[in-house]
Amino acid sequence: FCLAGIGPPSRDDAPGRFLVHRLRSGWSSEARLVCEPFEDLHLERAWSEHAVNVERFGQVGSMPVRGFAPCAGIEDTVAEVTWAAQLAWAGSWQMELFGRGGRVSLSGGLADSDFGHWRKTLAPGESFTTPRAWLTVVRGDFDACAQRLVGMQELEGAVPHAGSGRLQDLAPVANEWCTTWGRPRHDEVVAMADRLAGSDVKYLVIDAGWYESASGRWIDAHGDWVVDRGAFPDGLAATAKAVRERGLAPGLWVELETCGSASSAFSLTDHLLQRDGVPITAGARRFWDFRDPFVTDYLSERVVRLLEECEMGYLKIDYNETLGAGCDGAESAGEGLRRQVQAVYGFLNGLRRRMPELVIENCASGGHRLEPSLMALCDLGSFSDAFECPELPVIAANVNRLLPARRSLVWVVLHRSDSEAEQVYKLSSGLLGRPCLSGELTELDDGQWGRVGDALELYKKAAPAFENGRWRRSGPRVERYSAPTGWQAVLRTAQDGQGALAVFHAFGQPPSQPVRVDLPGPGPWTVDFALAGDSQPKVDGQTLSWEAPAPFTAAAVWLRPAGVPAS
């Protein structure tokens, strides 16, 4: 794509007129919005126009949201208009910014030969179709553009498979990862299912470590996919059956596209991706060649058949390393990578046809693959690997710019030692997307479990605000994620205007005075249901205010207009 000629001509290059918006992403720090004046990117022209400055950025490899997310915006602060673009692609990509004479251009697509080692040769009569790019322009800021682009994931039929209707229930998820940390056992999974029985949670996922491991480490033993009978004496099918008997759908974690160094699959080099004739090895991982029928047959037998035999209702697909610039088997390393990505799409499409009711979660060390093309093949996305750090709500709010909230799984990791304030902080964070419960769930006392129930009840009441609802973040910019200060509020409004969800978080050094958020008209509004500790948000006309009782506290409320019956 190329958006060229943004803004009117200007002899002085329109100083201060344009802002560039990008989303930086790192492990457990996804989707940080960075806004920079055009001049700070060194894009001013020199005294002679024969020299051109270009800002080129992107990502090389198979983690498309590592470094930058594949989207960007240009805000014309004079016209109060923002243009934005997003690429729907799970491999290497690039974008370029350029300006001259007061006019700005933004272009992008597949990473080229210089940036991403990609060349493609076409014979006479052959054709090539690029991945999609989505473009939008709004009268407003970049967040308005981001909401438009995220909305495209819904409008484009992003979950086209037969079972997609179940997403409408917004059912919360539980995952034992932060309970066992890679050492799941039958008895522990069943105990979690006992605790969750009768709650609004619908899915219980068995995460990494359920397979045999000669090394005793989950991280380098995957790839053979043989059930660890020491942990699951009667096999996974017995555990899955026990979960279903308690009213939950069982789920399973796999890392389909790689194999670990402690697996026998690691030595099957004829079926693994190579570069310059050498197996691509990243730390303790190598990569299956999905263009090879042996690989798809192997994974169909070892993984898909296991899912069917166990009647799993949920699959978490993780991906914890990038394969780099590309692989052998095509006219360039980048073209090898492109074909590998297309082959992975093909495998997932085949899985969809074979198990149409399976719910699939897209995870890549958290949020390194939250882009439209893979989300089109998955139901949910892991927002981050920020399991229980103080910046979790900051990241969860950021990811709203990449993913619909109802498809964004947000960790809620609870412990018996949590105070009421700590628990409300975590539960309120989960309301910034779809809650994913973990931790010491079976050890919570009645009061703590009662607060979990309150949070899930609030989440259920707020369902209309997650159905194509609009959101707005208030509060100062958080500069340092590892030690956040200030406050944040996210207001999400139902499309029909009949309700609104407000989630407040106070960080270090919160303001001493109440913070205020403007409510949409016409109002007046009233609090229908609240999750709060010592300080509940209050409505004053068209304003919602909250006074933080202490650092790292939170509150969440479901609001309804006066005259609308309580939900």
Side-chain angles (χ1 to χ4, degrees), residues 6-18:
I6 297 172
S10 171
R11 291 184 177 181
D12 62 358
D13 278 349
R17 178 168 185 146
F18 296 106

Side-chain angles (χ1 to χ4, degrees), residues 326-454:
C327 54
D328 297 342
E331 57 265 52
S332 64
E335 173 62 5
L337 169 62
R338 191 193 68 81
R339 294 182 188 180
Q340 167 75 359
V341 171
Q342 292 282 11
V344 170
Y345 292 164
F347 184 86
L348 292 178
N349 273 314
L351 175 59
R352 280 297 186 200
R353 290 190 295 270
R354 185 164 166 175
M355 300 185 69
E357 295 301 316
L358 187 70
V359 172
I360 298 180
E361 175 188 340
N362 169 23
C363 179
S365 291
H368 281 335
R369 278 179 147 183
L370 296 182
E371 56 78 35
S373 71
L374 272 177
M375 287 308 304
L377 297 168
C378 300
D379 301 278
L380 306 172
S382 173
F383 92 112
S384 179
D385 271 354
F387 301 117
E388 47 184 325
C389 48
E391 65 267 31
L392 186 155
V394 180
I395 300 166
N398 287 349
V399 172
N400 280 318
R401 299 185 178 103
L402 288 180
L403 195 61
R406 66 178 183 150
R407 302 176 67 190
S408 178
L409 276 181
V410 178
W411 287 103
V412 180
V413 182
L414 303 171
H415 299 285
R416 177 66 183 267
S417 61
D418 289 339
S419 66
E420 179 181 4
E422 289 170 330
Q423 195 175 18
V424 170
Y425 188 92
K426 295 176 179 182
L427 290 166
S428 296
S429 300
L431 296 172
L432 295 170
R434 184 183 295 222
C436 182
L437 302 180
S438 193
E440 299 169 348
L441 302 183
T442 61
E443 300 179 29
L444 301 182
D445 62 32
D446 291 344
Q448 291 173 319
W449 189 244
R451 278 189 289 277
V452 174
D454 289 343

Side-chain angles (χ1 to χ4, degrees), residues 63-74:
M63 282 182 162
V65 191
R66 191 182 73 158
F68 287 100
C71 61
I74 297 175

Side-chain angles (χ1 to χ4, degrees), residues 235-250:
L236 274 178
T239 307
K241 182 175 183 290
V243 170
R244 287 195 303 275
E245 288 172 346
R246 287 152 177 80
L248 300 160

Side-chain angles (χ1 to χ4, degrees), residues 234-287:
D234 298 318
L236 274 178
T239 307
K241 182 175 183 290
V243 170
R244 287 195 303 275
E245 288 172 346
R246 287 152 177 80
L248 300 160
L252 195 65
W253 175 100
V254 296
E255 191 171 337
L256 276 177
E257 296 158 68
T258 72
C259 52
S261 58
S263 70
S264 58
F266 196 78
S267 63
L268 299 177
T269 55
D270 288 346
H271 306 291
L272 303 176
L273 293 177
Q274 302 190 14
R275 187 161 54 241
D276 300 328
V278 178
I280 300 172
T281 305
R285 280 174 168 76
R286 286 177 176 170
F287 303 84

